[in-house]
């Protein structure tokens, strides 16, 4: 079993739903750790001095001064100091949920990671140094506001969060953040909660449509129009996301994991897992345990 833990994030201001902190690491180069961690909050990191190695199951980011990385909600990741010079960096943990107002609901499905992980947006920082600098400065500004707590800092922090999201949106050259139908969170959130709490058993679209207060046929069209994928696709994706977590946090055989995420047919489970992760369950675990070079040699 790969070592992993869910990191608790203690907010400095509960109403702002965030924690931002500057870290200074004076140690010598550290060996690669196998302990992965995750948290529900989205994470932004900006390096100010030194170099930092950030890894997710699919990517490795070597950050130098000025570099920025975005890690999505519940995304497995680990970090390591990679040289002997002092390392200084700022980490922003942020629950985006409270920042979704009416003006943002057309982008709800993207920033809430209903279809794709926010990690996919890291390409922006590699292709656009100006945007990388802008995002880095906003993170620094958020840190300064939190540390100084001058009058009205809560308003300033809220504005900076919106600036982060708008900057990503406006510079998404690959059009990953396409607007969709306006989403009423009061309607959608109970549906998402229903799926989340029933992943280990049967998830009935008839029940989901009842929760939404819609007919079965209308709900099917409504969900795809708002989210961009069918209800069945979304449910399967959430089941596999849960399976990924179980693979690296529980000492369970694959058959039991499939049952735990509500998939009784093992052939179907393997097909879905490969479709959503690009790997078999065994290879997925190996990716977390070894470097990419070591995985390629396995």
């Amino acid at each position: 079993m790969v070592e992993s833990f869910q990191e608790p994030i203690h907010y400095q201001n509960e109403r702002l739903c965030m924690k931002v902190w500057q870290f200074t690491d004076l140690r010598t180069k550290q060996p690669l750790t196998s302990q992965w961690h995750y948290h529900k909050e989205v994470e932004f990191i900006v390096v100010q001095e030194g170099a930092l190695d950030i890894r997710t199951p699919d990517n490795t980011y070597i950050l130098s001064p000025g570099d920025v990385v975005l890690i999505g909600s519940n995304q497995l990741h680990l970090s390591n100091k990679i040289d002997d010079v002092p390392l200084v960096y700022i980490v922003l943990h942020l629950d985006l949920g409270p920042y979704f107002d009416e003006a943002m609901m057309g982008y709800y499905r993207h920033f809430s990671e209903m279809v794709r992980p926010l990690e996919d947006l890291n390409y922006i920082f590699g292709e656009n140094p100006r945007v990388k600098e802008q995002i880095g400065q906003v993170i620094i500004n958020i840190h300064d506001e939190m540390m100084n707590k001058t009058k009205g800092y809560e308003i300033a922090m809220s504005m900076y969060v919106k600036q982060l999201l708008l900057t990503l949106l406006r510079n998404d050259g690959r059009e990953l953040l396409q607007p969709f139908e306006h989403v009423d969170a009061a309607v959608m959130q109970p549906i998402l909660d229903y799926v989340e709490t029933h992943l280990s058993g049967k998830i009935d679209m008839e029940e989901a449509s009842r929760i939404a207060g819609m007919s079965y046929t209308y709900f099917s069209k409504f969900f795809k129009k708002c989210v961009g994928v069918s209800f069945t696709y979304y449910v399967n994706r959430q089941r596999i996301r849960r399976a990924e977590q179980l693979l690296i946090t529980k000492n369970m055989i694959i058959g039991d994991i499939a049952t735990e995420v509500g998939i009784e047919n093992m052939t179907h489970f393997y097909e879905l897992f490969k479709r959503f992760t690009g790997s078999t369950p065994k290879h997925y675990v190996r990716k977390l345990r070894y470097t990419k070079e070591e995985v390629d040699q396995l």
Side-chain angles (χ1 to χ4, degrees), residues 4-8 36-40 74:
S4 173
F5 68 97
Q6 183 171 9
E7 179 185 1
W36 296 76
H37 63 282
Y38 61 98
H39 37 71
K40 72 173 184 177
N74 289 312

Side-chain angles (χ1 to χ4, degrees), residues 96 104 111 160-170:
L96 290 176
M104 287 185 57
F111 288 122
Y160 281 133
V161 171
K162 295 292 183 65
Q163 186 178 350
L164 281 177
L165 301 182
L166 180 61
T167 301
L168 291 172
L169 185 63
R170 292 237 171 123

Side-chain angles (χ1 to χ4, degrees), residues 53-115:
D53 179 351
I54 302 290
R55 302 194 182 197
T56 67
D58 295 315
N59 294 289
T60 296
Y61 306 94
I62 305 299
L63 307 183
S64 301
D67 284 342
V68 174
V69 72
L70 168 58
I71 299 168
S73 173
N74 289 312
Q75 173 68 69
L76 286 163
H77 58 287
L78 59 77
S79 61
N80 287 278
K81 189 174 187 290
I82 57 177
D83 58 30
D84 295 334
V85 303
L87 171 64
V88 181
Y89 60 105
I90 293 175
V91 178
L92 168 64
H93 292 112
L94 177 65
D95 180 359
L96 290 176
Y99 293 90
F100 287 116
D101 56 23
E102 285 300 306
M104 287 185 57
M105 294 311 293
Y107 300 94
Y108 177 84
R109 78 179 186 106
H110 297 294
F111 288 122
S112 60
E113 303 185 84
M114 293 175 67
V115 176

Side-chain angles (χ1 to χ4, degrees), residues 108 114 183-199 203-215 218-220 222-224 226-227 230-232 234-235 238:
Y108 177 84
M114 293 175 67
V183 178
D184 186 341
V187 174
M188 185 62 70
Q189 196 58 52
I191 300 168
L192 304 184
D193 291 342
Y194 165 69
V195 172
E196 188 66 22
T197 56
H198 290 79
L199 287 177
I203 295 178
D204 193 310
M205 196 160 81
E206 189 74 47
E207 176 63 15
S209 62
R210 187 196 64 77
I211 293 171
M214 303 173 186
S215 70
Y218 185 82
F219 173 76
S220 178
F222 163 83
F223 191 91
K224 186 164 187 178
C226 290
V227 178
S230 70
F231 182 72
T232 299
Y234 175 75
V235 169
Q238 295 307 103

Side-chain angles (χ1 to χ4, degrees), residues 2 34 36 56-57 76 78 248 284-290:
V2 179
S34 62
W36 296 76
T56 67
L76 286 163
L78 59 77
I248 55 91
Y284 181 84
V285 172
R286 286 177 173 176
K287 286 199 301 185
L288 304 191
R289 184 174 292 141
Y290 303 101

Side-chain angles (χ1 to χ4, degrees), residues 172-292:
D172 173 28
R174 298 182 187 178
E175 299 291 342
L176 302 183
L177 296 177
Q178 282 293 306
F180 254 67
E181 183 77 3
H182 183 278
V183 178
D184 186 341
V187 174
M188 185 62 70
Q189 196 58 52
I191 300 168
L192 304 184
D193 291 342
Y194 165 69
V195 172
E196 188 66 22
T197 56
H198 290 79
L199 287 177
S200 61
K202 181 180 179 182
I203 295 178
D204 193 310
M205 196 160 81
E206 189 74 47
E207 176 63 15
S209 62
R210 187 196 64 77
I211 293 171
M214 303 173 186
S215 70
Y216 183 96
T217 302
Y218 185 82
F219 173 76
S220 178
K221 295 177 180 178
F222 163 83
F223 191 91
K224 186 164 187 178
K225 189 175 183 180
C226 290
V227 178
V229 296
S230 70
F231 182 72
T232 299
Y233 180 97
Y234 175 75
V235 169
N236 285 334
R237 180 177 181 272
Q238 295 307 103
R239 290 192 195 278
I240 297 304
R241 289 190 71 180
R242 175 70 60 82
E244 291 176 68
Q245 292 180 342
L246 292 175
L247 272 171
I248 55 91
T249 60
K250 303 292 183 181
N251 189 20
M252 300 171 64
I253 63 174
I254 294 175
D256 289 345
I257 289 176
T259 300
E260 183 66 21
V261 300
I263 304 174
E264 298 291 342
N265 185 301
M266 285 302 298
T267 299
H268 187 48
F269 174 76
Y270 276 102
E271 288 174 351
L272 288 176
F273 198 93
K274 184 69 178 291
R275 181 190 307 172
F276 287 104
T277 70
S279 305
T280 64
K282 182 180 292 186
H283 192 265
Y284 181 84
V285 172
R286 286 177 173 176
K287 286 199 301 185
L288 304 191
R289 184 174 292 141
Y290 303 101
T291 65
K292 182 181 184 303

